[in-house]
Amino acid sequence: MRREADAMMTNAQATPDAGGTDCFLSLRGVTKRFGGLHALDDVSLDIRRGEVLGLLGDNGAGKTTLVKIIAGVYQPTSGEILCNGMVERITSPDRAHHLGIETVFQDLALVPNLAVADNFFIGREMTYDIVPGLIRILRKRKMETDAAETLKQLDIHIPSLRVNVDSLSGGQRQAIAIARAMRWKANLVILDEPTAALSVPEQNKVLELARKLARQGVAVIYITHNMNDVMAVTDRIALLYRGRLAGELLTRQTNQNEIVSMIMSGKPPASAQRA
Ligand SMILES: Nc1ncnc2c1ncn2[C@@H]1O[C@H](COP(=O)(O)OP(=O)(O)O)[C@@H](O)[C@H]1O
Ligand SMILES: [Mg+2]
């Protein structure tokens, strides 16, 4: 019930204007070929600030390929990407991070045998030079305070930031990965099947965090096969079918049955074609 109420509230706030100043990233005619296979074929899609975009499609439709292009893992074969209206080549994951694009993969990319606080700062550790250029120490206490502050802001409760991540539940780990994306001031957070392995209360927490990111003005791409999640968390849906963008819909203007048949057939519902 609560999820339905949330969905009604949040979806009502969706902004349907195409392009415009809300647009963080624009894909223009993006194509990706692996040998003779078109994993993505001429995909044009806007990704907007403050919006949760559901990226849907059957297995093999091209979702992960699209995400990897945005995350700088793959280069498109043709087409271009605009970031804040400027043509941008996302040539590496580092470049994506620099642009504020954070991807929370299903396996999360947390380091299991490191403490929560340390995971927040992998590759971006806070240090202090005792002897400049010679002796550098980690600012452990500062990193812990910083991580604690981020988790508090997102209302995430972790008993201790000194415990290793592998002692936490799946939901807690997912929450930490999302919080870490927030900590680094993400402009776009991509969540790839974030609730697949979680209990229902944990799933609700992750959905709540995705909404919270959007309310803070972050663009969110949410990949899922779970129709309840789609209805509860997304503002808009982009459907991939055999590498092509088969339709875009506002979530509040559709329903689960329409979405499922769209995923299977690759055709948007008649109501959307009229819109
Ligand atoms: N690295 C790769 N090399 C060759 N083919 C690939 C590669 N990655 C994906 N594909 C193919 O591209 C298509 C789209 O895959 P993918 O993006 O993983 O789909 P989805 O995430 O929607 O299930 C599939 O046919 C898949 O087999
Ligand atoms: Mg995939």
Coordinates of all heavy atoms in Angstrom, one line a residue, residues 206-264:
V206 N 15.6 0.6 -0.8 CA 16.3 1.0 -2.0 C 15.4 1.9 -2.9 O 15.9 2.8 -3.5 CB 16.8 -0.3 -2.7 CG1 17.4 0.1 -4.1 CG2 17.9 -0.9 -1.9
L207 N 14.2 1.5 -3.0 CA 13.2 2.3 -3.8 C 13.1 3.7 -3.2 O 13.2 4.7 -4.0 CB 11.8 1.7 -3.8 CG 11.7 0.3 -4.5 CD1 10.3 -0.2 -4.5 CD2 12.1 0.4 -6.0
E208 N 13.1 3.8 -1.9 CA 13.0 5.1 -1.2 C 14.3 5.9 -1.5 O 14.2 7.1 -1.8 CB 12.9 4.8 0.3 CG 12.5 5.9 1.2 CD 12.7 5.5 2.6 OE1 12.1 4.4 3.0 OE2 13.4 6.2 3.4
L209 N 15.4 5.2 -1.5 CA 16.7 5.9 -1.8 C 16.7 6.5 -3.2 O 17.2 7.6 -3.5 CB 17.9 5.0 -1.5 CG 18.2 4.8 -0.1 CD1 19.3 3.8 0.1 CD2 18.7 6.1 0.6
A210 N 16.2 5.6 -4.2 CA 16.2 6.1 -5.6 C 15.3 7.3 -5.7 O 15.7 8.3 -6.4 CB 15.7 5.0 -6.5
R211 N 14.2 7.3 -5.0 CA 13.3 8.5 -5.1 C 14.0 9.7 -4.4 O 13.9 10.9 -4.9 CB 12.0 8.3 -4.3 CG 11.0 7.4 -5.0 CD 10.5 7.8 -6.3 NE 10.5 9.2 -6.7 CZ 10.4 9.6 -7.9 NH1 10.2 8.8 -8.9 NH2 10.4 10.9 -8.2
K212 N 14.7 9.4 -3.3 CA 15.4 10.5 -2.6 C 16.5 11.2 -3.5 O 16.6 12.4 -3.5 CB 16.1 10.0 -1.3 CG 16.3 11.0 -0.3 CD 16.7 10.3 1.0 CE 15.5 10.2 2.0 NZ 15.9 9.8 3.3
L213 N 17.2 10.3 -4.2 CA 18.2 10.9 -5.2 C 17.6 11.8 -6.2 O 18.0 12.9 -6.4 CB 18.9 9.7 -5.9 CG 19.9 8.8 -5.2 CD1 20.3 7.7 -6.1 CD2 21.1 9.6 -4.7
A214 N 16.4 11.3 -6.7 CA 15.7 12.2 -7.7 C 15.3 13.5 -7.1 O 15.4 14.5 -7.7 CB 14.6 11.4 -8.3
R215 N 14.7 13.4 -5.9 CA 14.3 14.6 -5.2 C 15.4 15.6 -5.0 O 15.2 16.8 -5.0 CB 13.6 14.3 -3.9 CG 12.2 13.9 -4.0 CD 11.4 14.1 -2.7 NE 12.0 13.3 -1.6 CZ 11.7 12.0 -1.4 NH1 10.9 11.4 -2.2 NH2 12.3 11.4 -0.4
Q216 N 16.6 15.1 -4.9 CA 17.8 16.0 -4.7 C 18.3 16.5 -6.1 O 19.4 17.1 -6.1 CB 18.9 15.3 -3.9 CG 18.4 15.0 -2.5 CD 19.5 14.3 -1.7 OE1 20.6 14.0 -2.1 NE2 19.2 14.0 -0.4
G217 N 17.6 16.1 -7.1 CA 18.0 16.7 -8.5 C 18.9 15.8 -9.3 O 19.4 16.2 -10.3
V218 N 19.1 14.6 -8.7 CA 20.0 13.6 -9.5 C 19.2 12.9 -10.5 O 18.0 12.7 -10.4 CB 20.6 12.6 -8.5 CG1 21.4 11.5 -9.2 CG2 21.3 13.2 -7.4
A219 N 19.8 12.7 -11.7 CA 19.1 11.8 -12.7 C 19.3 10.4 -12.3 O 20.5 10.0 -11.9 CB 19.7 12.1 -14.1
V220 N 18.3 9.6 -12.4 CA 18.5 8.2 -12.0 C 18.0 7.3 -13.2 O 16.9 7.5 -13.7 CB 17.6 7.8 -10.7 CG1 17.8 6.4 -10.3 CG2 18.0 8.7 -9.6
I221 N 18.8 6.3 -13.5 CA 18.4 5.2 -14.5 C 18.2 4.0 -13.7 O 19.1 3.6 -12.9 CB 19.4 5.0 -15.6 CG1 19.6 6.3 -16.5 CG2 19.0 3.8 -16.5 CD1 20.6 6.1 -17.6
Y222 N 17.0 3.4 -13.8 CA 16.7 2.2 -12.9 C 16.4 1.1 -13.9 O 15.4 1.1 -14.6 CB 15.5 2.6 -12.1 CG 15.3 1.7 -10.9 CD1 15.7 2.1 -9.6 CD2 14.6 0.5 -11.0 CE1 15.4 1.3 -8.5 CE2 14.4 -0.3 -9.9 CZ 14.8 0.1 -8.7 OH 14.6 -0.6 -7.6
I223 N 17.2 0.0 -13.8 CA 17.0 -1.2 -14.7 C 16.4 -2.2 -13.8 O 16.9 -2.6 -12.7 CB 18.3 -1.7 -15.3 CG1 18.9 -0.6 -16.2 CG2 18.1 -3.0 -16.0 CD1 20.2 -1.1 -16.8
T224 N 15.3 -2.8 -14.2 CA 14.6 -3.8 -13.4 C 13.7 -4.7 -14.3 O 13.2 -4.2 -15.3 CB 13.8 -3.2 -12.2 OG1 13.3 -4.3 -11.4 CG2 12.7 -2.3 -12.7
H225 N 13.4 -5.9 -13.8 CA 12.4 -6.7 -14.4 C 11.2 -6.7 -13.5 O 10.2 -7.4 -13.8 CB 12.9 -8.1 -14.6 CG 13.8 -8.3 -15.7 ND1 15.2 -8.4 -15.6 CD2 13.6 -8.2 -17.1 CE1 15.8 -8.5 -16.8 NE2 14.8 -8.4 -17.7
N226 N 11.2 -6.1 -12.4 CA 10.2 -6.1 -11.4 C 9.1 -5.0 -11.6 O 9.4 -3.8 -11.5 CB 10.8 -6.0 -10.0 CG 9.8 -6.1 -8.9 OD1 8.7 -5.6 -9.0 ND2 10.2 -6.7 -7.8
M227 N 7.9 -5.4 -12.0 CA 6.9 -4.5 -12.4 C 6.5 -3.6 -11.2 O 6.1 -2.5 -11.4 CB 5.7 -5.2 -13.0 CG 6.0 -5.7 -14.4 SD 6.6 -4.3 -15.5 CE 8.0 -5.1 -16.1
N228 N 6.5 -4.2 -10.0 CA 6.1 -3.4 -8.8 C 7.1 -2.2 -8.6 O 6.7 -1.1 -8.4 CB 6.1 -4.2 -7.6 CG 4.9 -5.2 -7.6 OD1 3.8 -4.9 -8.1 ND2 5.1 -6.4 -7.0
D229 N 8.4 -2.6 -8.8 CA 9.4 -1.5 -8.7 C 9.2 -0.4 -9.8 O 9.3 0.7 -9.5 CB 10.8 -2.1 -8.9 CG 11.3 -2.9 -7.7 OD1 10.5 -3.1 -6.7 OD2 12.4 -3.3 -7.7
V230 N 8.9 -0.9 -11.0 CA 8.7 0.1 -12.1 C 7.6 1.0 -11.7 O 7.7 2.3 -11.8 CB 8.3 -0.7 -13.4 CG1 7.9 0.3 -14.5 CG2 9.5 -1.5 -13.9
M231 N 6.5 0.5 -11.2 CA 5.3 1.4 -10.9 C 5.6 2.2 -9.7 O 5.2 3.4 -9.6 CB 4.1 0.5 -10.7 CG 3.6 -0.3 -11.9 SD 3.5 0.6 -13.4 CE 2.2 1.7 -13.2
A232 N 6.4 1.7 -8.8 CA 6.6 2.5 -7.5 C 7.6 3.6 -7.7 O 7.5 4.6 -7.0 CB 7.0 1.5 -6.4
V233 N 8.6 3.4 -8.5 CA 9.8 4.3 -8.4 C 10.0 5.1 -9.7 O 10.6 6.2 -9.6 CB 11.0 3.4 -8.1 CG1 11.6 2.7 -9.3 CG2 12.1 4.3 -7.4
T234 N 9.6 4.7 -10.9 CA 9.9 5.4 -12.1 C 8.9 6.5 -12.4 O 7.8 6.4 -12.1 CB 10.0 4.5 -13.3 OG1 8.7 4.0 -13.7 CG2 11.0 3.3 -13.1
D235 N 9.5 7.6 -13.0 CA 8.6 8.6 -13.6 C 8.3 8.4 -15.0 O 7.3 8.7 -15.6 CB 9.3 10.0 -13.5 CG 9.6 10.3 -12.1 OD1 8.7 10.5 -11.3 OD2 10.8 10.5 -11.7
R236 N 9.3 7.8 -15.7 CA 9.2 7.6 -17.2 C 9.9 6.2 -17.5 O 10.7 5.8 -16.7 CB 10.0 8.7 -17.8 CG 9.7 8.9 -19.3 CD 10.2 10.4 -19.7 NE 11.6 10.6 -19.4 CZ 12.6 10.5 -20.4 NH1 12.3 10.2 -21.6 NH2 13.8 10.8 -20.0
I237 N 9.5 5.7 -18.6 CA 10.0 4.4 -19.0 C 10.5 4.5 -20.4 O 9.9 5.0 -21.3 CB 8.8 3.3 -19.0 CG1 8.3 3.1 -17.5 CG2 9.2 2.0 -19.6 CD1 7.0 2.4 -17.5
A238 N 11.7 3.9 -20.6 CA 12.2 3.8 -22.0 C 12.4 2.3 -22.2 O 12.9 1.5 -21.4 CB 13.6 4.4 -22.1
L239 N 11.8 1.8 -23.3 CA 11.8 0.4 -23.6 C 12.7 0.1 -24.8 O 12.7 0.7 -25.9 CB 10.4 0.0 -24.1 CG 10.4 -1.5 -24.5 CD1 10.3 -2.4 -23.3 CD2 9.2 -1.7 -25.5
L240 N 13.7 -0.8 -24.5 CA 14.5 -1.3 -25.6 C 14.0 -2.6 -26.0 O 13.6 -3.5 -25.3 CB 16.0 -1.5 -25.0 CG 16.8 -0.2 -24.8 CD1 18.1 -0.6 -24.1 CD2 17.0 0.5 -26.1
Y241 N 14.1 -2.8 -27.4 CA 13.6 -4.1 -28.0 C 14.6 -4.4 -29.1 O 14.7 -3.6 -30.1 CB 12.2 -3.9 -28.5 CG 11.6 -5.2 -29.1 CD1 11.1 -6.2 -28.2 CD2 11.6 -5.5 -30.4 CE1 10.6 -7.3 -28.7 CE2 11.0 -6.6 -30.9 CZ 10.5 -7.6 -30.0 OH 10.0 -8.7 -30.5
R242 N 15.4 -5.5 -28.9 CA 16.4 -5.9 -29.9 C 17.3 -4.7 -30.3 O 17.5 -4.5 -31.5 CB 15.7 -6.5 -31.1 CG 14.9 -7.8 -30.8 CD 14.3 -8.4 -31.9 NE 13.5 -9.6 -31.5 CZ 12.7 -10.2 -32.3 NH1 12.6 -9.9 -33.6 NH2 12.0 -11.3 -31.9
G243 N 17.7 -4.0 -29.3 CA 18.7 -2.9 -29.6 C 18.1 -1.6 -30.0 O 18.8 -0.6 -30.1
R244 N 16.8 -1.6 -30.3 CA 16.2 -0.3 -30.7 C 15.3 0.3 -29.6 O 14.8 -0.5 -28.8 CB 15.3 -0.5 -31.9 CG 16.1 -0.9 -33.1 CD 15.2 -0.9 -34.4 NE 14.9 0.5 -34.8 CZ 15.6 1.2 -35.7 NH1 16.6 0.6 -36.3 NH2 15.2 2.4 -36.0
L245 N 15.2 1.6 -29.5 CA 14.3 2.2 -28.6 C 12.9 2.1 -29.1 O 12.5 2.7 -30.1 CB 14.7 3.7 -28.4 CG 13.9 4.4 -27.3 CD1 14.3 3.9 -25.9 CD2 14.1 5.9 -27.4
A246 N 12.1 1.2 -28.4 CA 10.8 0.9 -29.0 C 9.7 1.8 -28.4 O 8.6 1.8 -28.9 CB 10.4 -0.6 -28.7
G247 N 10.0 2.6 -27.4 CA 9.0 3.5 -26.9 C 9.4 4.2 -25.6 O 10.3 3.7 -24.9
E248 N 8.8 5.3 -25.4 CA 9.0 6.1 -24.1 C 7.6 6.4 -23.6 O 6.8 6.9 -24.4 CB 9.8 7.4 -24.4 CG 11.2 7.2 -24.6 CD 11.9 8.5 -24.9 OE1 12.1 9.3 -24.0 OE2 12.2 8.8 -26.1
L249 N 7.4 6.2 -22.3 CA 6.1 6.5 -21.7 C 6.2 7.1 -20.4 O 7.2 6.9 -19.7 CB 5.4 5.1 -21.4 CG 4.9 4.3 -22.6 CD1 4.4 3.0 -22.0 CD2 3.9 5.0 -23.4
L250 N 5.3 7.9 -20.0 CA 5.2 8.4 -18.6 C 4.6 7.3 -17.8 O 3.5 6.7 -18.2 CB 4.4 9.7 -18.5 CG 5.0 10.9 -19.0 CD1 4.1 12.1 -18.8 CD2 6.4 11.2 -18.4
T251 N 5.2 6.9 -16.7 CA 4.7 5.8 -15.9 C 3.2 6.0 -15.4 O 2.4 5.1 -15.4 CB 5.6 5.6 -14.6 OG1 6.9 5.6 -15.1 CG2 5.2 4.3 -13.9
R252 N 2.9 7.3 -15.1 CA 1.5 7.5 -14.6 C 0.5 7.3 -15.7 O -0.7 7.3 -15.4 CB 1.4 8.9 -13.9 CG 1.6 10.0 -14.9 CD 1.2 11.3 -14.2 NE 1.2 12.5 -15.1 CZ 2.3 13.3 -15.3 NH1 3.4 13.1 -14.6 NH2 2.2 14.2 -16.2
Q253 N 0.9 7.3 -17.0 CA -0.1 7.1 -18.0 C -0.2 5.7 -18.5 O -0.8 5.5 -19.6 CB 0.3 8.1 -19.2 CG 0.1 9.5 -18.9 CD 0.6 10.5 -20.0 OE1 1.2 10.0 -20.9 NE2 0.3 11.7 -19.8
T254 N 0.5 4.8 -17.8 CA 0.4 3.4 -18.3 C 0.1 2.4 -17.1 O -0.1 2.9 -16.0 CB 1.7 3.0 -19.0 OG1 1.5 1.7 -19.6 CG2 2.9 3.0 -18.2
N255 N 0.2 1.2 -17.3 CA 0.0 0.2 -16.2 C 0.9 -1.0 -16.5 O 1.5 -1.2 -17.5 CB -1.5 -0.2 -16.1 CG -2.0 -0.8 -17.4 OD1 -1.4 -1.7 -17.9 ND2 -3.1 -0.2 -17.9
Q256 N 0.9 -1.9 -15.5 CA 1.8 -3.1 -15.6 C 1.5 -3.9 -16.8 O 2.4 -4.4 -17.4 CB 1.6 -3.9 -14.3 CG 2.0 -3.3 -13.0 CD 2.3 -4.3 -11.9 OE1 2.5 -5.4 -12.2 NE2 2.4 -3.8 -10.7
N257 N 0.2 -4.2 -17.1 CA -0.1 -5.0 -18.2 C 0.4 -4.5 -19.5 O 1.0 -5.2 -20.4 CB -1.6 -5.2 -18.4 CG -2.1 -6.1 -17.2 OD1 -1.4 -6.8 -16.6 ND2 -3.4 -6.0 -17.0
E258 N 0.2 -3.2 -19.7 CA 0.7 -2.5 -20.9 C 2.2 -2.6 -21.0 O 2.8 -2.9 -22.1 CB 0.3 -1.0 -20.9 CG -1.1 -0.8 -21.4 CD -1.3 0.7 -21.6 OE1 -0.5 1.6 -21.2 OE2 -2.4 1.0 -22.1
I259 N 2.9 -2.4 -19.9 CA 4.4 -2.5 -19.9 C 4.9 -3.9 -20.3 O 5.7 -4.1 -21.1 CB 5.0 -2.0 -18.6 CG1 4.6 -0.6 -18.2 CG2 6.5 -2.2 -18.6 CD1 4.9 -0.2 -16.8
V260 N 4.2 -4.9 -19.7 CA 4.7 -6.3 -19.9 C 4.5 -6.6 -21.4 O 5.3 -7.2 -22.1 CB 3.9 -7.3 -19.0 CG1 4.2 -8.7 -19.5 CG2 4.3 -7.1 -17.6
S261 N 3.3 -6.2 -22.0 CA 3.1 -6.5 -23.4 C 4.0 -5.8 -24.3 O 4.4 -6.2 -25.3 CB 1.6 -6.4 -23.8 OG 1.3 -5.0 -24.0
M262 N 4.4 -4.6 -23.8 CA 5.3 -3.8 -24.6 C 6.7 -4.4 -24.6 O 7.4 -4.4 -25.7 CB 5.4 -2.4 -23.9 CG 5.9 -1.3 -24.7 SD 5.6 0.3 -23.9 CE 6.8 0.4 -22.7
I263 N 7.1 -5.0 -23.5 CA 8.4 -5.6 -23.4 C 8.4 -6.8 -24.3 O 9.4 -7.1 -25.0 CB 8.7 -6.1 -21.9 CG1 9.0 -4.8 -21.1 CG2 9.9 -7.0 -21.9 CD1 9.1 -5.1 -19.6
M264 N 7.3 -7.6 -24.4 CA 7.3 -8.8 -25.2 C 7.2 -8.5 -26.7 O 7.8 -9.1 -27.5 CB 6.0 -9.6 -24.8 CG 6.0 -10.0 -23.3 SD 7.5 -10.8 -22.7 CE 7.5 -12.3 -23.6

